[in-house]
Amino acid sequence: MAGPLDDAPPPPVTMDSIEELRTYLWQQHQVTVDHDDPVLLVHTILRLSLDEQRRINDQYNRALSQTVRDASQDFTKDVLTAIDAFKAEALGDVVRERIKTMNETAEMAEDAIRQFARLLRTQKILTTLNILAVVFVVGVLSALTL
């Protein structure tokens, strides 16, 4: 045989008022609770405690949210600083490598200019010798024809 507690109605989502509590107690136990019953005092005390706990939880949630927001901003700044430092270092390496390559190219160009200058001197000497040989040959031919 089923008793009144076996098929109790589900509790309401909220019990904000004394009337809602009295109605639920009637549905649950078929007992009428007067307005001045001490059980209702316990409900009021618990309701106040619950409201105070919600207020404290909200306060802690706001503080925690602010702390997380501040920490994430600090972390973001640190990450951006690290990225900038990495970029500067990476770009510094690239720039150093390019400067090294440019210096090597400049040395190769100077060597090429020195070799070209040497070849030019050699060509001047050979041209001078050719002119002297032509003058000598013309002089010899002129002397022979006279």
Side-chain angles (χ1 to χ4, degrees), residues 41-58:
L41 292 175
V42 172
H43 175 273
T44 303
I45 291 169
L46 292 176
R47 173 54 72 206
L48 287 173
S49 296
L50 181 62
D51 289 345
E52 179 64 15
Q53 188 61 46
R54 283 185 182 151
R55 187 188 64 76
I56 291 170
N57 286 347
D58 288 344

Side-chain angles (χ1 to χ4, degrees), residues 51-80:
D51 289 345
E52 179 64 15
Q53 188 61 46
R54 283 185 182 151
R55 187 188 64 76
I56 291 170
N57 286 347
D58 288 344
Q59 192 176 27
Y60 283 134
N61 282 340
R62 284 190 300 274
L64 180 61
S65 294
Q66 186 61 43
T67 301
V68 168
R69 197 172 14 257
D70 292 344
S72 66
Q73 287 174 350
D74 291 343
F75 180 73
T76 301
K77 287 177 188 175
D78 291 345
V79 167
L80 290 175

Side-chain angles (χ1 to χ4, degrees), residues 20-52:
E20 289 173 329
L21 176 61
R22 289 180 69 221
T23 302
Y24 179 72
L25 289 174
W26 170 254
Q27 291 171 344
Q28 180 77 23
H29 302 286
Q30 285 80 38
V31 174
T32 302
V33 179
D34 285 339
H35 290 287
D36 59 350
D37 194 304
V39 169
L40 298 179
L41 292 175
V42 172
H43 175 273
T44 303
I45 291 169
L46 292 176
R47 173 54 72 206
L48 287 173
S49 296
L50 181 62
D51 289 345
E52 179 64 15

Side-chain angles (χ1 to χ4, degrees), residues 130-143:
N130 281 334
I131 290 174
L132 289 174
V134 167
V135 169
F136 179 74
V137 169
V138 169
V140 169
L141 288 175
S142 298

